[in-house]
Amino acid sequence: MDLTVVAYVAYLLISVALTIWVARTLSRNGKIFLADVLHGNEKLADAVNHLLVVGFYLVNFGFVALYLSQDEAVLDTRALFEALSVKLGVVLLVLGVMHLGNVYVLNKIRRRGVMEREQVPPVGPQGWTAAPKAGPWAPPAPQR
């Protein structure tokens, strides 16, 4: 078998495994953020989490497929490792950027939800406060 084909197979197997691992990690831990943002609505959090994972898979598998082609033939073991290291390094960088992007978006959504909750006063108004009586510490009454 040609070493170029071996490089393709190894690249695909490792890239797919890494993508699945990162997606599962994001899914498991992102669900907690989403449940917090969505005020404990578990069904909605699961649905949004699933949609984010599907999008993550589509983007990453699309990149892996587009980056599969090799310009030069792999002739020896050294070239095989060099080709794999470059391709897998780029895939790892893309996965890292996608991971940081997901964490950033989830954190922004979470912060917005926290800010919205903090804008509501914990206790509603219960009455009026009387105006202070005139005294040495109070400003003088207005002159008519």
Side-chain angles (χ1 to χ4, degrees):
M1 185 185 307
D2 186 15
L3 284 180
T4 305
V5 175
V6 172
Y8 288 160
V9 171
Y11 165 72
L12 284 174
L13 290 175
I14 296 169
S15 296
V16 167
L18 286 170
T19 300
I20 291 171
W21 175 70
V22 171
R24 286 186 180 185
T25 302
L26 287 172
S27 173
R28 189 175 344 115
N29 296 319
K31 183 178 175 182
I32 297 167
F33 281 105
L34 290 171
D36 182 44
V37 168
L38 300 172
H39 309 293
N41 189 343
E42 293 290 329
K43 284 189 174 188
L44 185 58
D46 286 340
V48 171
N49 194 23
H50 185 72
L51 291 172
L52 287 171
V53 169
V54 168
F56 184 83
Y57 279 136
L58 289 173
V59 169
N60 284 298
F61 287 150
F63 176 77
V64 166
L66 287 173
Y67 200 62
L68 177 65
S69 67
Q70 177 78 18
D71 292 337
E72 300 175 11
V74 178
L75 302 175
D76 58 357
T77 308
R78 178 181 173 193
L80 173 71
F81 280 104
E82 289 174 355
L84 277 177
S85 69
V86 169
K87 288 196 172 293
L88 291 175
V90 171
V91 168
L92 286 170
L93 288 173
V94 168
L95 283 171
V97 167
M98 291 291 293
H99 171 69
L100 290 176
N102 275 337
V103 169
Y104 178 77
V105 168
L106 287 173
N107 194 34
K108 287 291 261 191
I109 292 171
R110 184 174 175 272
R111 279 188 183 184
R112 187 175 348 160
V114 167
M115 288 180 67
E116 287 174 0
R117 279 182 261 165
E118 288 177 357
Q119 289 180 354
V120 177
V123 178
Q126 298 174 354
W128 293 92
T129 303
K133 296 180 182 178
W137 62 86
Q143 300 288 330
R144 290 187 189 205

